[in-house]
Amino acid sequence: MAQIRLTNSRTRTLERFVPIDASNVRIYLCGPTVYDRAHLGNARPVVVFDVLVRLLRHVYGADHVTYVRNFTDVDDKINATAAARKAAGAPGTLEDLIAERTEETIGWYHADMDALGAARPDHEPRATGYIAQMIAMCEGLIAGGHAYEAEGHVLFAVESYRDYGRLSGRSVEDMIAGARVEVAPYKRNPMDFVLWKPSDGDLPGWDSPWGRGRPGWHIECSAMSHDLLGADFDIHAGGNDLMFPHHENEIAQSCCAHPGSGFARVWLHNEMLQVEGKKMSKSLGNFFTVRDLLDQGIPGEVIRMVFLGTHYRKPMDWTEAKREEAEKTLRKWRALTNGVEPGEIDEQVVYYLGDDLNTHGAIQALHKLVQDIYHHEKIERGGQGSVLVKSSVELRAKLKASAQLLGLLTDEIGEWAVTASVDLSAYADALAAAREQAMATKDFSAVDALKSMLLAAGVEVRMSKAGVDLSPKPEFDAAKLEAL
């Protein structure tokens, strides 16, 4: 069995991953608050940890991994968005508009993440479906002396949990100084956070022992993860912007609500995203959603490839140059694997993914497989037997299977590269033969003519000592190619 090592944010060390139960490896990823479209930074953890789930299923078995990613569908941002629509004259009550916006946004999210090749989780709980569990958790925390009621609110008493701050590595004093702490007269401590709050007027609300109200943000994930994964589970993941206060608060309330449990054993956090070397922000004009890129004609598979080119614990810089290189590479790989059934997965790809999810290293291993394919096919063109021909086919099958472990070269997200499915091997053979003849006669006119015709048809031509490599460019014209 392949070994997996992961950098645990809680211990700040690279640890060998040993599941609590190898027959049911459990992972929870913090999902979106569904008030608007997902921006590019929101998509990074989805793609990164989709690869982790693929790796876990490969190692432990497809039926032995439970993957949960939630939807926060009760939140002040959702309420504000719905209120703005109502003020603009949208028909229906505020509650109707909230429900409408939620459904619409979840639909957008599914479509965008599907386009990136991210598999749907086993469970996608919505916060509004777990209100009873949240109320029960609040009651338990109050009974245990870890929370208190004040003016219709229920607040977690931070001082009651001695390990508070361990995940983020901050002292309570530092957290007060560096956080936007809500100052409220009903708080016993400035760091105490809301588990439940009152709802007035048209705002969503549910009956509770403390009056009509709605949950605070942090309690949602604790209730949902406990209900679906248990008090102890293997991995909790998300962006590093969630480490404090969200994940810190999750740990505190979950461990206090379920004494003796450890909540998540391994915490994984991905770094943030930049655009052309700068932080993505609306003020800089470099803020865009996943849908913005898709509508510009950038394939989801290309976006995924750019994401995976950088290790998840390093800041990822989205650049036009990276996009172009990713598209070029994927077109070449799809041309090489067109019509090939996936074979065995390359051990080096598995090794790199098992080494703290090193997707960059795994992609380099895929490039090495491509070089091996070219090397074998050069020998095959020399007529050295059917054994080597079989080796080339096996290498192409290995390339496809190994790339699919990263969520690349799958059928679901390959429509954009339909031109890359053209078999150019006969033209490559012809150009290689013409070049070999020219090397003997010193007359390269036939080589130049054939190369010019290929270029005119939109075929990228690369000739080296390893052989001839042809791949279709975005402007590829099959009709021109057939006329050669």
Side-chain angles (χ1 to χ4, degrees):
M1 180 179 288
Q3 185 180 108
I4 299 175
R5 299 186 303 160
L6 300 170
T7 297
N8 190 342
S9 300
R10 194 167 189 178
T11 62
R12 294 165 183 77
T13 59
L14 184 65
E15 303 172 352
R16 181 184 175 191
F17 175 69
V18 179
I20 299 169
D21 177 3
S23 67
N24 184 21
V25 183
R26 289 159 288 167
I27 177 171
Y28 186 96
L29 174 64
C30 281
T33 299
V34 286
Y35 68 97
D36 207 345
R37 285 205 178 266
H39 62 68
L40 197 59
N42 299 144
R44 192 184 187 195
V46 176
V47 171
V48 165
F49 297 116
D50 175 70
V51 175
L52 175 60
V53 172
R54 290 172 186 268
L55 175 65
L56 293 171
R57 294 193 193 282
H58 172 70
V59 173
Y60 295 100
D63 298 329
H64 300 303
V65 177
T66 302
Y67 174 29
V68 178
R69 185 184 67 217
N70 73 291
F71 286 118
T72 292
D73 61 344
V74 53
D75 181 86
D76 290 343
K77 291 180 180 178
I78 301 173
N79 298 341
T81 301
R85 294 178 73 182
K86 184 174 178 63
T93 66
L94 184 61
E95 189 170 310
D96 291 337
L97 292 173
I98 289 171
E100 179 184 309
R101 183 63 167 183
T102 296
E103 291 301 322
E104 180 181 44
T105 308
I106 289 176
W108 291 343
Y109 187 83
H110 275 148
D112 292 348
M113 297 308 114
D114 289 351
L116 300 182
R120 300 276 181 97
D122 299 294
H123 303 281
E124 292 184 291
R126 301 187 186 192
T128 52
Y130 290 79
I131 299 297
Q133 290 89 332
M134 296 176 204
I135 291 173
M137 184 173 283
C138 289
E139 290 177 317
L141 288 168
I142 291 173
H146 298 288
Y148 56 95
E149 187 273 337
E151 299 182 21
H153 295 75
V154 177
L155 298 110
F156 183 85
V158 168
E159 291 179 343
S160 73
Y161 183 60
R162 65 180 181 181
D163 286 337
Y164 193 81
R166 180 180 170 189
L167 177 67
S168 57
R170 308 180 188 186
S171 68
V172 173
E173 290 75 16
D174 289 339
M175 287 185 275
I176 292 175
R180 295 178 179 178
V181 176
E182 179 189 0
V183 178
Y186 49 77
K187 283 188 175 185
R188 297 176 183 174
N189 182 311
M191 286 302 299
D192 292 350
F193 57 88
V194 173
L195 302 174
W196 188 266
K197 55 189 173 184
S199 285
D200 297 323
D202 294 330
L203 291 178
W206 292 263
D207 292 334
S208 80
W210 317 286
R212 184 174 181 275
R214 61 192 190 277
W217 175 33
H218 311 299
I219 194 72
E220 297 174 7
C221 287
S222 287
M224 289 185 281
S225 64
H226 180 265
D227 192 79
L228 294 168
L229 299 177
D232 293 275
F233 57 94
D234 296 292
I235 299 171
H236 196 312
N240 68 355
D241 58 321
L242 298 179
M243 187 180 295
F244 179 83
H246 185 50
H247 290 166
E248 196 77 74
N249 292 351
E250 275 191 72
I251 293 172
Q253 64 200 11
S254 294
C255 289
C256 290
H258 310 289
S261 72
F263 196 39
R265 285 196 176 183
V266 178
W267 286 83
L268 302 178
H269 292 93
N270 64 278
E271 260 288 355
M272 294 296 98
L273 179 140
Q274 300 174 331
V275 177
E276 300 289 352
K278 297 180 179 179
K279 181 179 178 181
M280 188 170 70
S281 70
K282 292 181 180 179
S283 62
L284 294 176
N286 64 355
F287 179 94
F288 42 83
T289 67
V290 174
R291 180 52 49 180
D292 290 335
L293 293 185
L294 295 173
D295 288 346
Q296 290 171 25
I298 300 175
E301 186 175 27
V302 172
I303 299 171
R304 184 183 185 95
M305 181 76 161
V306 175
F307 280 170
L308 299 182
T310 301
H311 193 279
Y312 78 96
R313 290 193 299 106
K314 294 182 179 180
M316 199 222 82
D317 192 15
W318 173 273
T319 68
E320 181 62 18
K322 287 181 180 179
R323 183 205 64 77
E324 291 177 355
E325 183 62 28
E327 182 169 337
K328 174 182 172 182
T329 297
L330 287 169
R331 285 190 181 277
K332 178 169 66 176
W333 290 0
R334 283 196 171 271
L336 286 170
T337 58
N338 178 50
V340 175
E341 289 298 317
E344 66 178 20
I345 294 175
D346 185 64
E347 291 182 0
Q348 279 296 104
V349 171
V350 176
Y351 167 79
Y352 279 116
L353 293 183
D355 184 23
D356 200 22
L357 211 59
N358 184 355
T359 53
H360 174 76
I363 288 174
Q364 296 309 304
L366 294 177
H367 282 299
K368 177 62 168 56
L369 276 175
V370 172
Q371 292 174 1
D372 290 345
I373 291 170
Y374 291 151
H375 174 70
H376 277 269
E377 293 185 349
K378 178 183 178 183
I379 297 174
E380 290 161 15
R381 284 192 291 269
Q384 296 187 28
S386 61
V387 173
L388 287 172
V389 173
K390 181 180 179 183
S391 296
S392 175
V393 172
E394 288 178 345
L395 284 171
R396 288 171 183 254
K398 179 180 283 189
L399 172 63
K400 191 167 191 175
S402 303
Q404 288 183 348
L405 186 58
L406 281 80
L408 302 169
L409 303 191
T410 65
D411 293 338
E412 293 81 5
I413 56 173
E415 290 185 4
W416 71 275
V418 64
T419 56
S421 64
V422 178
D423 184 359
L424 300 173
S425 59
Y427 301 96
D429 290 343
L431 186 55
R435 185 175 69 163
E436 186 174 346
Q437 180 68 20
M439 295 294 289
T441 63
K442 307 303 180 185
D443 180 5
F444 285 86
S445 58
V447 174
D448 292 339
L450 183 53
K451 182 179 178 181
S452 295
M453 288 187 288
L454 287 166
L455 291 172
V459 177
E460 185 171 359
V461 180
R462 292 180 293 278
M463 295 188 291
S464 66
K465 292 180 180 180
V468 174
D469 177 28
L470 304 180
S471 59
K473 295 194 241 182
E475 62 270 24
F476 173 75
D477 188 333
K480 289 183 179 179
L481 186 68
E482 291 171 0
L484 293 182

